[in-house]
Amino acid sequence: MFLYHLTLQRASSIYNCVHGNFAGTKQQEVVVGRGKILEILRIDPNTGKVIQLYSTEVFGTIRSITPFRLTGGSKDYIVVGSDSGKINILEYSPQKNIFEKVHMEIFGKSGCRRIVPGQYLAVDPKGRAVMVGAVEKQKLVYIMNRDDQARLTISSPLEAHKANTIVFDIC
């Protein structure tokens, strides 16, 4: 026997929102996080209405979202911090109309804990590094690069911890 939990009504409030060029078409899209639903939206230039391009349920709680673009890239990636103790780097594929997982990095226990990173995300403006921080103490920095096939590669985490501090935000 297999059990499946599904909510009957979608979440309507938006907790996280970022904008960027995720489809690579030089049009701005908006990615919103509604609790455990991740959506990509675009404004129709003819009518001015918001169109939902894709929506997916992530089977967890989205704690933070931030976009980043590698140096010399034409497309933005999405970094998602969740309550699973991982950060996911996603790329929107307009041909398949899905978010493709580019990389997933595990760094802690599951659950929204104050010492597990994922609550705060910050990206270098030039797309060289991503910092993941917790409310207390732990902060990890990942260096982003490309390999010889122009695919995204991520370094091992560099620890940027500082004891006896409480983090309110990371910029």
Side-chain angles (χ1 to χ4, degrees):
M1 177 199 279
F2 296 99
L3 300 175
Y4 183 69
H5 173 69
L6 182 66
T7 56
L8 298 176
Q9 188 173 2
R10 287 185 41 178
S12 60
S13 60
I14 295 173
Y15 295 108
N16 305 11
C17 180
V18 295
H19 67 88
N21 184 5
F22 303 108
T25 58
K26 295 189 179 180
Q27 272 190 320
Q28 291 288 318
E29 290 95 10
V30 177
V31 173
V32 295
R34 300 177 186 262
K36 61 180 183 174
I37 298 172
L38 194 62
E39 296 180 343
I40 185 163
L41 309 169
R42 176 185 291 158
I43 297 176
D44 185 12
N46 299 327
T47 62
K49 294 185 178 181
V50 177
I51 301 169
Q52 178 183 7
L53 298 178
Y54 180 66
S55 177
T56 186
E57 193 166 332
V58 297
F59 300 105
T61 302
I62 299 169
R63 296 172 75 185
S64 55
I65 301 173
T66 189
F68 82 95
R69 181 179 296 198
L70 286 172
T71 306
S74 62
K75 193 173 184 178
D76 291 332
Y77 294 93
I78 306 161
V79 182
V80 179
S82 68
D83 68 340
S84 62
K86 307 172 192 171
I87 60 165
N88 295 302
I89 298 176
L90 305 174
E91 177 182 12
Y92 177 68
S93 174
Q95 293 83 19
K96 298 178 188 175
N97 197 24
I98 60 170
F99 287 116
E100 292 181 341
K101 180 180 68 171
V102 177
H103 192 77
M104 178 177 61
E105 186 71 30
I106 300 170
F107 50 75
K109 295 180 179 179
S110 63
C112 292
R113 303 167 191 245
R114 64 181 191 213
I115 59 168
V116 176
Q119 183 67 36
Y120 303 110
L121 289 172
V123 177
D124 178 39
K126 295 189 179 185
R128 297 173 292 195
V130 173
M131 178 181 248
V132 184
V135 175
E136 289 184 8
K137 188 180 174 184
Q138 286 195 332
K139 289 176 251 0
L140 302 171
V141 178
Y142 294 94
I143 307 297
M144 306 292 181
N145 279 320
R146 290 188 183 165
D147 61 3
D148 51 353
Q149 283 90 24
R151 291 179 301 193
L152 176 69
T153 59
I154 298 174
S155 71
S156 297
L158 304 170
E159 295 182 358
H161 307 320
K162 187 167 184 179
N164 303 322
T165 59
I166 294 178
V167 178
F168 292 107
D169 198 7
I170 296 177
C171 299

